[in-house]
């Protein structure tokens, strides 16, 4: 079993910054990738950012230049710094970890950006 614990998120004004963290624990021998999805009310879940085992990060076009994903390999933790937040970034953010056998998801943490 693998558990993911998310932290961070909250309410911020447009133009502000927030940080999200995700800690994975349990039966983890290797991680293929970690990342974040988000889902806004009435919209489909969207891939926001991902970081591979080799440290290569990719971003959705909508967050490029504003969000930065990072990973601490020894602790199986991942963080995402979100700057210049916009109201359209408001969503429930889910972290995930992709292991060789399956993908695990966190419970989600709310990010709300007021205009």
């Amino acid at each position: 079993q693998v558990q993911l614990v998310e932290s961070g998120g909250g309410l911020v004004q447009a133009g502000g910054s927030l940080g999200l963290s995700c800690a994975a624990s349990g039966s983890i021998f290797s991680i293929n990738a970690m990342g974040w999805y988000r889902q806004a009310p009435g919209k489909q879940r969207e891939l926001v950012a991902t970081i591979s085992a080799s440290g290569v990060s990719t971003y959705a076009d909508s967050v490029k230049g504003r969000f930065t994903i990072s990973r601490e390999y020894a602790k199986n933790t991942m963080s995402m710094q979100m700057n210049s937040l916009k109201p359209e970034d408001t969503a429930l953010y889910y972290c995930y970890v992709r292991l060789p056998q399956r993908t695990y998801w966190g419970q989600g943490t709310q990010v709300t950006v007021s205009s």
Side-chain angles (χ1 to χ4, degrees):
Q1 281 284 20
V2 173
Q3 297 80 39
L4 297 179
V5 177
E6 298 149 330
S7 60
L11 174 63
V12 67
Q13 287 189 330
S17 299
L18 282 175
L20 301 180
S21 295
C22 178
S25 61
S27 301
I28 299 173
F29 299 101
S30 66
I31 294 177
N32 292 344
M34 297 183 77
W36 297 91
Y37 275 79
R38 68 185 179 186
Q39 187 165 22
K43 294 188 176 181
Q44 288 189 334
R45 189 172 291 193
E46 172 190 25
L47 178 61
V48 178
T50 186
I51 186 164
S52 71
S54 60
V56 175
S57 56
T58 57
Y59 300 92
D61 287 342
S62 57
V63 307
K64 280 181 182 176
R66 300 188 296 122
F67 291 12
T68 303
I69 191 171
S70 60
R71 182 178 158 186
E72 192 166 351
Y73 291 82
K75 297 182 179 180
N76 288 331
T77 60
M78 172 186 61
S79 298
M80 185 165 70
Q81 180 64 32
M82 305 182 293
N83 298 326
S84 302
L85 283 162
K86 305 175 181 180
E88 50 264 43
D89 294 317
T90 295
L92 192 59
Y93 284 69
Y94 299 88
C95 75
Y96 76 91
V97 58
R98 189 166 74 241
L99 307 184
Q101 65 272 26
R102 60 164 286 186
T103 297
Y104 291 86
W105 295 88
Q107 295 289 323
T109 184
Q110 180 67 38
V111 171
T112 302
V113 185
S114 63
S115 57

